[in-house]
Amino acid sequence: MPDVQPLVREFVLKLKRRKVEGSHAVARQTAELLRSVVSQHRMGSTNQAAALADAIRGVGEQLIAANPIELAVGNIVRRVLHIIKEEDISSTAVGIEGLSVTAESDDEYDSENDDHPTLSAAVLAAHARNALRAPSLQTLLEDIPVSTALSRSASSAGDSDGKSGDKSSKSRKLKHDVIAAIGDLIDEIDTCYDQISEQAVEHIHQNEVILTLGRSRTVKEFLYAAKEKKRSFRVFVAEGAPRYQGHVLAKELVEKGVQTTVITDSAVFAMISRVNMVIVGAHAIMANGGVIAPVGMNMVALAAQRHAVPFVVVAGSHKLCPLYPHNPEVLLNELKSPSDLLDFGEFSNCMNFSTQDGTPLLNVVNPTFDYVPPKLVSLFITDTGGHSPSYMYRLIAEYYSADDLVVKRSTTNYS
Amino acid sequence: MDLRRPPRSSSGGVEPKIRQVGFVTPDVSSEPPAPAVPAAAAAAAQPAASSAGSPPASDLSPGSLSPVMIPPPRHADHLAPGSPSPAASASELGDDESWSRAPSAAELEANKGDLAEIRNDNVSASIPQKQKTSKAERRAIQEAQRAAKAAAKETGLSGKSAGTVSGANPAMSKQAKSSKASQKKDVPQAASTAASEKKVTERPPERDRKKDAPHPRMQFDDVHRVEKAKKRAIVNQSEARNRVELFRHLPQYVHGTQLPGLESKFFQLEPMHPSVYKVGLQYLSGEVSGGNGRCIAMLLAFKEAIKDYSTPPKKNLSRDLTAKISSYVSFLIECRPLSISMGNAIRFLKNRIAKLPLTLSESEAKSSLQSDIDRFINEKIVVADKVIVSHAITKVRDNDVLLTYGSSSVVEMILDHAHELGRKFRVIVVDSRPKLEGQGLLRRLVEKGINCTYTHINAISYIMHEVTRVFLGASSILSNGTVYSRVGTASVAMVAHAFGIPVLVCCEAYKFHERVQLDSICANELGDPDIILKVPGKADLGHLKNMADNENLQLLNLTYDATPSDYVSMIITDYGMLPPTSVPVIVREYRKEQLWI
């Protein structure tokens, strides 16, 4: 795919240089890029799905390596791989259905193979789900005829020349389906705010006092929706050093007519005793229900736990990551420039000090993210509804396949 | 200056003048320092058994029953911020005497007490009713009481009675003003008196028990009182727009507008001593900050003022001086609300003034007071800090990673000393907006060669896994073990506790207080809200600059917060290393010692 390489390189560069940041923007651009990759991919004659998946894996590996902290990239890559598998299974299931139907009527497989009877969507979905779910007794028994039929169809397809026409149409269909599904994914990323905001009315009642830290677009839309429904509530916005995005959120809320009070981050513990609910956004949600959030969120979560205030995380499903966090404070964190905290000019004389072995006397630590363990989170509100942290791992099975956890291009070449 | 106060013709011209310029506290303002003056005068007069002017007696309680003399000092103390009580204690002494010996006085006390209770029920800005007794009658009663007190004193009664007497004080003060004493100093006094009270069984118990509760502080949501206070203020404070509703009970003023005005009036403010004025300006500009720093600056200014003081003719030194100190204190409050350390120091000073033996000449009295102030600073702050450092140094071991928040003078001394002793450790300085005090500490530590890491408060969860000990300073420690210190301390202590890291709070014992507090809302100090808008170094964050007038937007700049005692592992004071539950013990057992030094 020579056409798409420049696009990939450009995006990799943007990710490396942190020109694009924020889960929503990154997710969207990754999805669009992968859609272009799929559309430019030349489908081979056999194992199109596997080849396509491999191509995606190759690109995905580069993207993930460019910014490993931006988990949304990996999420979208794995989603696309899952989509490819799904579409492949469903289109094969169509073939299987055709086979099984014809098998009952006749022994003539080959003649019937050209037939791709359109099956109902429900049956297709059922087949797809069965193929992707963890094996259970029911699916095991159903799968046996499916898998044998699959192998038979593959071999029979390989044998006959008459199948080439089918294959090309099948491959075109696969590509088409995958591109359509990725388009759905992009729509889903864009419209997650609406679906989450619909749930706002259920959680915000009258005369509520809400605390938030920093600025999350999801939280903003959430509060807007509650305001639309004429719920009266007040918001304490903690500024969220060192980016101070809390000021931006406060301005937006005030323009909408929401009673807002801006407080400093140090005052969170002091004010939280008068707060009914803490609503925050997330950078990523890990498989164990833990949250990677802007720095300072763990402090807020601990204070909320101390005062028995519900800690609600709102996030779109593109932020759900199938990985389990190990030492997330260090490994899934990024340290930014000290100039956010200390003015280099003011402290230039301190910079020159060092100990005898040359290590500097002054270090500045400016992490970007914080890890909130699942036991501190009361509720996740995603576009699929409200969930408790212990449920998040089930959602992963819906969006991702187990063997995609490590995105690595396989060494075998597919023609 | 308090128009509510009965005209004190007997007091002559001096006191009213002083009252006019001074500004006690907004709600105390209803009873300007005048009560303090008479109270002090009465107190001083009693031991001397000299016939002092009667006015003090009548002045004592704005609205309190005039015949009752003794209580006024107490209540005056409660009125004046921080002036609890040397005068009070003196009057307490007298009261006690009168209680036990002069039934008539006791009756008067009883009357007063009843009235106090009645008045307490009418919590309003209205002028309390005054009994109409003629001046001669009042003078006679006061003389009788003073004589009784002098007699009692000669027989060598201990300060216990004074303590009990002071128990009556809270009642008085309550009479004085619908229970809105401004300062926390009142509370310590009430508590201490309560303590001593128990020892004297003669006291009518029921009434006293009600007075044992610490005085509530000045509440700023009473519009009338605030208006009256403003009329008397030296410093013109304009209230901030967009006040946060939750903090209606605290003063919120627009900052930065008073400094130029005050500076221009430097030479015009006759009754204000220039060094006091200077200290007030330093508070206003933020040049002097920190509990110890402010307290020392204030005491040194008072020392200067005492040095230059000369008793006006026909005036009693202690009464007049106490009144002057009260007026200075009210000016300082206008500049910046008093810290608890300052309040305790003022109480000590007034106590010393009240306890001046009457046989001293003016110059001897002044030098005695000056040496008292020096002694206080030396014993309670300088030496106490040395003791704290010697205790705390045992808790710093090699390869420790110590975390500190903001800039505490004691913690800095500990770190310096540990470095001098050659311990190998490194320090993490956590800082927060808007004061960014940690930067100053960071600079001083790096210059000394200590290995430092600097971060902001949001990052404490990230950095805490490296930390072995947390050292924090405090503005005060309250009687329920709550640590009252710079806003953000509670968050640091909470995260340290979550990680299982010991939190050591270092605080001198003179900062302890009888007050109790559960959260950071009920008592706090509100800083300049506009500072929140201005983020240094990020000019593009002018998002909110144009919205300051929007009625939906409020800005909250808290100065202090209350750390629950369960987050604190140990408190290091000059009395040793204690758990947080021992603080009320220290307050009770050693407060009298502090007062009566």
Side-chain angles (χ1 to χ4, degrees), chain B residues 289-526:
Chain B
S289 78
N292 286 340
R294 287 170 70 193
C295 187
I296 292 177
M298 176 188 76
L299 285 176
L300 293 178
F302 282 173
K303 201 169 118 179
E304 284 290 314
I306 290 177
K307 192 167 75 139
D308 296 339
Y309 171 78
S310 59
T311 319
K314 295 192 186 149
K315 296 236 139 269
N316 180 273
L317 176 129
S318 18
R319 261 184 267 162
D320 187 53
L321 186 56
T322 311
K324 245 192 154 55
I325 299 281
S326 303
S327 71
Y328 295 159
V329 168
S330 43
F331 169 71
L332 291 179
I333 291 178
E334 272 177 52
C335 297
R336 189 177 160 186
L338 292 188
S339 70
I340 296 185
S341 56
M342 291 166 69
N344 290 348
I346 291 168
R347 217 152 40 103
F348 162 79
L349 182 60
K350 289 197 175 171
N351 176 29
R352 297 310 301 158
I353 294 176
K355 300 204 74 206
L356 283 174
L358 291 159
T359 52
L360 286 185
S361 74
E362 182 179 315
S363 59
E364 283 173 355
K366 286 186 346 181
S367 64
S368 147
L369 283 177
Q370 287 175 55
S371 70
D372 279 343
I373 291 180
D374 281 335
R375 200 159 48 91
F376 183 89
I377 293 179
N378 191 41
E379 280 181 15
K380 300 289 177 200
I381 305 181
V382 175
V383 173
D385 281 347
K386 292 202 178 89
V387 173
I388 291 177
V389 169
S390 68
H391 284 308
I393 205 76
T394 59
K395 297 297 175 191
V396 178
R397 296 173 294 193
D398 276 343
N399 298 323
D400 256 349
V401 179
L402 308 176
L403 183 136
T404 183
Y405 176 71
S407 166
S408 164
S409 51
V410 189
V411 175
E412 192 179 339
M413 280 187 232
I414 295 172
L415 298 174
D416 287 343
H417 193 232
H419 187 67
E420 277 165 27
L421 290 183
R423 305 267 166 99
K424 279 197 338 254
F425 62 97
R426 63 186 180 91
V427 176
I428 299 178
V429 178
V430 178
D431 204 5
S432 82
R433 279 236 306 150
K435 295 207 171 187
L436 291 175
E437 293 165 325
Q439 289 189 355
L441 175 67
L442 177 73
R443 192 184 288 277
R444 292 191 291 270
L445 291 179
V446 169
E447 276 167 10
K448 293 202 175 69
I450 299 175
N451 196 334
C452 295
T453 304
Y454 178 80
T455 184
H456 62 98
I457 193 170
N458 277 341
I460 45 178
S461 300
Y462 175 83
I463 206 84
M464 197 58 78
H465 65 272
E466 301 177 0
V467 176
T468 57
R469 297 253 145 93
V470 175
F471 278 93
L472 299 172
S475 168
S476 164
I477 304 190
L478 308 176
S479 276
N480 59 340
T482 307
V483 178
Y484 188 73
S485 68
R486 184 65 74 222
V487 66
T489 310
S491 300
V492 173
M494 170 185 70
V495 176
H497 183 254
F499 279 75
I501 293 165
V503 174
L504 295 90
V505 175
C506 309
C507 179
E508 300 88 351
Y510 85 101
K511 289 179 177 169
F512 289 2
H513 202 276
E514 292 87 1
R515 202 176 95 208
V516 292
Q517 197 172 333
L518 292 170
D519 59 26
S520 320
I521 316 264
C522 300
N524 212 316
E525 186 186 326
L526 292 172

Side-chain angles (χ1 to χ4, degrees), chain A residues 64-139:
Chain A
I64 293 175
N67 188 352
I69 311 298
E70 196 60 73
L71 295 164
V73 176
N75 295 351
I76 299 300
V77 169
R78 294 184 188 95
R79 286 286 284 269
V80 170
L81 290 171
H82 183 76
I83 284 172
I84 294 173
K85 247 183 225 137
E86 244 183 12
E87 294 299 331
D88 188 42
I89 300 277
S90 63
S91 60
T92 320
V94 175
I96 299 303
E97 277 300 309
L99 281 173
S100 50
V101 162
T102 53
E104 283 149 22
S105 55
D106 240 342
D107 311 13
E108 304 290 333
Y109 306 121
D110 300 48
S111 55
E112 299 298 347
N113 268 347
D114 304 79
D115 250 338
H116 292 278
T118 48
L119 292 171
S120 69
V123 178
L124 269 173
H127 273 288
R129 242 179 289 128
N130 278 347
L132 297 164
R133 258 204 200 135
S136 71
L137 203 53
Q138 181 186 22
T139 54

